[in-house]
Amino acid sequence: MAASQPLDAGNSLIAAVRSALLANSALAGMLVGNRVMTWAPSSCPTPYVQIAHRSNDWSTATEDGQEVVLDLNIYHQPASQTPEAGTARAIMALCRQTLHTASLTLASPFKCTLIRVTNEIGPYRDPDGATLHGVVTVRALVDHT
């Protein structure tokens, strides 16, 4: 039977995703200071990954669950004025490679039953004219165990 308390797997999933991304040495080496975070200060050096999330109830009559959608926002300001999206694209590809169908261990009482990269956008130039911004969207289904 479904639990009476609302389920919130967002923080547990973000922690597992962050650990998986930083365990990829190629990706971690590309990010300034291994920056994978949920909130970036406005003066944060690039490249970095900022994680935003939203969730939907995925419960049944007998089990609690959540669909969690993560947007991995990749930010990069190339050193030159020449438009160059190579670094941002490489980071996006490594995020996809690391997370698509990954086996993630979440903190109890959560279990990630499915994780897929569902969408990629960009990179495109942000309104500041200097920052390249790409988005990798990840969908995960999480059970309450």
Side-chain angles (χ1 to χ4, degrees), residues 73-76 84-85 88-89 92 120-135:
N73 293 282
I74 292 87
Y75 294 97
H76 175 57
E84 181 198 316
R89 280 194 186 105
M92 291 172 69
E120 294 181 45
I121 302 170
Y124 55 88
R125 199 166 289 281
D126 268 358
D128 68 5
T131 305
L132 296 174
H133 180 186
V135 181

Side-chain angles (χ1 to χ4, degrees), residues 110-125:
F110 306 112
K111 179 182 177 191
C112 184
T113 59
L114 174 79
I115 186 165
R116 298 283 190 271
V117 172
T118 60
N119 195 29
E120 294 181 45
I121 302 170
Y124 55 88
R125 199 166 289 281

Side-chain angles (χ1 to χ4, degrees), residues 11-145:
N11 288 337
S12 183
L13 182 64
I14 288 170
V17 163
R18 183 180 189 281
S19 293
L21 292 174
L22 292 176
N24 181 322
S25 59
L27 178 58
M30 294 183 80
L31 301 174
V32 173
N34 293 331
R35 286 195 168 104
V36 176
M37 60 199 115
T38 56
W39 185 256
S42 59
S43 61
C44 189
T46 66
Y48 64 87
V49 176
Q50 184 175 6
I51 303 173
H53 88 283
R54 58 194 178 278
S55 63
N56 299 301
D57 184 46
W58 187 61
S59 299
T60 67
T62 58
E63 295 179 34
D64 281 331
Q66 252 182 308
E67 172 194 45
V68 181
V69 179
L70 303 177
D71 287 325
L72 308 179
N73 293 282
I74 292 87
Y75 294 97
H76 175 57
Q77 279 188 349
S80 73
Q81 295 298 321
T82 306
E84 181 198 316
T87 298
R89 280 194 186 105
I91 292 170
M92 291 172 69
L94 288 168
C95 288
R96 178 181 182 77
Q97 176 189 39
T98 302
L99 296 176
H100 191 70
T101 70
S103 266
L104 298 179
T105 302
L106 276 57
S108 182
F110 306 112
K111 179 182 177 191
C112 184
T113 59
L114 174 79
I115 186 165
R116 298 283 190 271
V117 172
T118 60
N119 195 29
E120 294 181 45
I121 302 170
Y124 55 88
R125 199 166 289 281
D126 268 358
D128 68 5
T131 305
L132 296 174
H133 180 186
V135 181
V136 175
T137 302
V138 179
R139 177 178 177 251
L141 299 179
V142 179
D143 286 339
H144 183 275
T145 55

